[in-house]
Amino acid sequence: MVRILDKAAVQPRSRFNLSNSMTIKRSPSRLATVRIRIPVSNAQPNRVELVTTVGIQGVTGIAQILFRIFRDGVEIFNTQQGIESAASEQNYAITFQAIDKNVRSGSHVYTVSAENLTANTRADIVGPISFSGLAVKTRT
């Protein structure tokens, strides 16, 4: 049995919009941030379940995009996705999930970022972007 300790969600971009795109840089760009609080009385064992969805369009080449999730500035998860720029595979909705286990009590800031690892390629954030976190106390 689990008990919900806290939850948070943000949606900085709610829909697909080519006219408001953002190029993914070769250095990390923050996409979204949520704050999760773990009460002292319910500290451990626990887990924070994080889910991210990002709408991306490939513009040139095959870009390798590195997504990272940080807790309080420390990387806790990453995943890499290839984004093509031609034919039917030009637009993507990338969704990934991470689980952060046994988080100490207190308030924690989770951030998701993206960076393009491949020179001479381009991929743009075109939306939507959503990032959510759910903290639960797990059974002892």
Side-chain angles (χ1 to χ4, degrees):
M1 180 172 195
V2 299
R3 182 174 154 233
I4 295 175
L5 301 174
D6 197 10
K7 61 185 179 345
V10 295
Q11 191 173 32
R13 292 180 186 233
S14 61
R15 62 181 177 269
F16 181 84
N17 186 345
L18 282 175
S19 64
N20 189 22
S21 65
M22 174 185 89
T23 299
I24 301 172
K25 300 174 186 171
R26 300 261 300 139
S27 58
S29 296
R30 184 178 55 202
L31 302 180
T33 301
V34 295
R35 181 177 299 275
I36 297 287
R37 187 177 159 274
I38 305 294
V40 173
S41 61
N42 293 300
Q44 292 182 352
N46 64 44
R47 69 178 182 261
V48 177
E49 301 171 0
L50 302 152
V51 179
T52 305
T53 299
V54 181
I56 298 179
Q57 179 182 55
V59 179
T60 58
I62 300 175
Q64 295 297 315
I65 307 301
L66 178 63
F67 294 97
R68 296 179 185 185
I69 295 178
F70 298 86
R71 176 187 7 100
D72 302 328
V74 177
E75 183 178 330
I76 61 165
F77 174 83
N78 68 63
T79 185
Q80 187 173 324
Q81 300 288 323
I83 306 296
E84 295 184 28
S85 62
S88 63
E89 295 186 20
Q90 187 174 4
N91 296 306
Y92 296 81
I94 306 296
T95 299
F96 52 93
Q97 177 177 338
I99 297 178
D100 193 12
K101 293 183 180 179
N102 295 319
V103 180
R104 64 179 168 75
S105 61
S107 182
H108 302 282
V109 175
Y110 288 90
T111 304
V112 62
S113 71
E115 66 185 282
N116 185 349
L117 300 177
T118 312
N120 303 316
T121 64
R122 181 174 156 199
D124 291 352
I125 304 283
V126 292
I129 298 174
S130 67
F131 185 41
S132 63
L134 176 68
V136 296
K137 178 167 178 58
T138 56
R139 187 188 288 178
T140 57

